[in-house]
Amino acid sequence: MGTIAPTRPLRTGADIPVLGLGTSPLRGAESTTQVRTAIEAGYRLIDTAENYHNEDAVGQGIRDSGIDRSELFLTTKFNRAWHSVDGVRQAYEASLERLGVDYVDLLLVHWPNPDQDRYVEALRGLEAVRADGGLRAIGTSNFKPAHLQRVLEETGIEPDVNQIQLSPYSTRTDSRRYHDEHQIQTESWSPLGASSDELRNDPVITAIAKAHGKSATQVVLRWHVQLGLVAIPRSGNAGRIAENIDLFDFELTESEMSTISALDRGDTEVTDSDVFGH
Ligand code: NAP
């Protein structure tokens, strides 16, 4: 058994591991092997989505690992077609069926899709499923502060988590400030800058990595964790899956944290959720 990540309490009481496994775009047998390997390496947070077309394979990986379901924090997300109170329940039940589990810990509205203007109803739907005991936490993904504020004003509902694109190149200070003011946990997708090697090869990162005897990827993920974020790096490789969670034995200094944060390029590389969604 590898490293078990510490957890952080969410606003409504559930504890979320600070590091988890991203599963997109793996599918089928590759996805099943990835999830089993990660659980064996100590991962307890698994992130999937209806849109990844891998919930069945993820569920198989969980069963293959032999882990007790109660030890896992399982997250999934639903698409725009389900942005209504009844729709969210249907999406939830369909995800349970595909995953082969009897609850998920956290369900996210995958994108706000403001063009169809139904994300407020999606939050009402999430709250209804939670009220019936079907979820330990509710959340959004790719919501801007303006979307969250509208949901709050119209319903009084605030999500436990907002999962957004975030890395040292896109540090999302405005979103993080809003989340912190509202006790919403920020979760970072593409925490390593996705498939590009640019961030992992950035001389600022590699110099800090060398100083600690750690890899560039471990330094980037440690930066997420020390900022108080939850990160969900994805790898399909057993060695890199283990490497990515082995970061609880060192600490970045305040000055190193600031140096990494200064790599920020603003929102230039962030997908605009007022325009894109599914
Ligand atoms: P990411 O985790 O930032 O980066 C993944 C890339 O990094 C892969 O090419 C992987 O290659 C490589 N990598 C991972 N560990 C490495 C290591 N130790 N050394 C060198 N290379 C390494 O990008 P992502 O997959 O886009 O984002 C992570 C997760 O976020 C997704 O899987 C998904 O679950 C979630 N996500 C959510 C949304 C949303 O809208 N909510 C959108 C996109 C993604 P190898 O596989 O070859 O190791």
Side-chain angles (χ1 to χ4, degrees):
M1 181 62 66
T3 313
I4 306 281
T7 60
R8 205 167 270 139
L10 297 174
R11 59 184 294 134
T12 58
D15 291 321
I16 189 169
V18 300
L19 195 100
L21 180 76
T23 64
S24 169
L26 278 68
R27 290 187 187 175
E30 245 187 356
S31 181
T32 297
T33 303
Q34 181 212 25
V35 168
R36 195 200 65 234
T37 304
I39 293 171
E40 286 168 0
Y43 287 68
R44 294 295 175 262
L45 163 57
I46 311 288
D47 181 88
T48 180
E50 171 192 8
N51 206 56
Y52 302 165
H53 301 286
N54 66 10
E55 286 173 308
D56 53 347
V58 166
Q60 189 59 50
I62 293 171
R63 285 187 291 282
D64 288 356
S65 78
I67 196 167
D68 193 297
R69 170 70 185 89
S70 64
E71 288 188 40
L72 282 185
F73 191 100
L74 181 58
T75 304
T76 193
K77 323 183 186 79
F78 57 83
N79 285 340
R80 58 184 279 141
W82 312 106
H83 286 202
S84 66
V85 172
D86 284 350
V88 172
R89 182 165 302 280
Q90 288 173 49
Y92 169 76
E93 282 168 5
S95 279
L96 294 189
E97 179 81 30
R98 287 188 293 267
L99 284 159
V101 295
D102 54 14
Y103 71 99
V104 293
D105 296 271
L106 173 65
L107 183 60
L108 307 179
V109 188
H110 205 146
W111 291 87
N113 295 286
D115 64 309
Q116 70 173 7
D117 199 21
R118 284 174 17 208
Y119 62 82
V120 174
E121 285 309 293
L123 267 292
R124 288 192 215 274
L126 279 176
E127 195 55 77
V129 175
R130 173 169 46 195
D132 288 350
L135 291 168
R136 296 179 64 224
I138 64 170
T140 50
S141 183
N142 303 299
F143 276 44
K144 297 181 180 180
H147 304 134
L148 295 168
Q149 187 61 29
R150 181 169 163 214
V151 171
L152 174 61
E153 284 167 12
E154 293 188 23
T155 67
I157 299 170
E158 297 198 279
D160 293 274
V161 172
N162 189 27
Q163 184 185 112
I164 58 172
Q165 187 179 358
L166 198 161
S167 81
Y169 285 160
S170 312
T171 66
R172 313 297 303 275
T173 44
D174 291 349
S175 280
R176 284 196 284 121
R177 188 175 313 115
Y178 183 92
H179 298 167
D180 290 347
E181 284 166 8
H182 292 264
Q183 287 179 276
I184 297 167
Q185 174 65 51
T186 306
E187 186 173 32
S188 310
W189 66 257
S190 292
L192 304 173
S195 307
S196 163
D197 284 331
E198 190 185 358
L199 180 61
R200 293 185 277 276
N201 290 331
D202 192 298
V204 166
I205 304 286
T206 53
I208 293 173
K210 197 169 171 210
H212 287 278
K214 299 298 274 189
S215 72
T217 305
Q218 288 167 329
V219 165
V220 171
L221 294 171
R222 182 75 206 180
W223 171 85
H224 287 271
V225 168
Q226 280 187 223
L227 273 184
L229 314 175
V230 169
I232 47 165
R234 173 253 311 181
S235 177
N237 171 280
R240 291 192 285 278
I241 288 172
E243 174 188 332
N244 293 351
I245 200 168
D246 179 20
L247 46 83
F248 299 102
D249 60 351
F250 78 111
E251 196 160 348
L252 299 169
T253 64
E254 269 183 43
S255 139
E256 288 168 335
M257 287 294 290
S258 312
T259 305
I260 298 172
S261 297
L263 296 172
D264 188 27
R265 299 167 175 176
D267 283 359
T268 48
E269 291 168 26
V270 172
T271 307
D272 185 351
S273 62
D274 277 322
V275 177
F276 179 82
H278 50 69

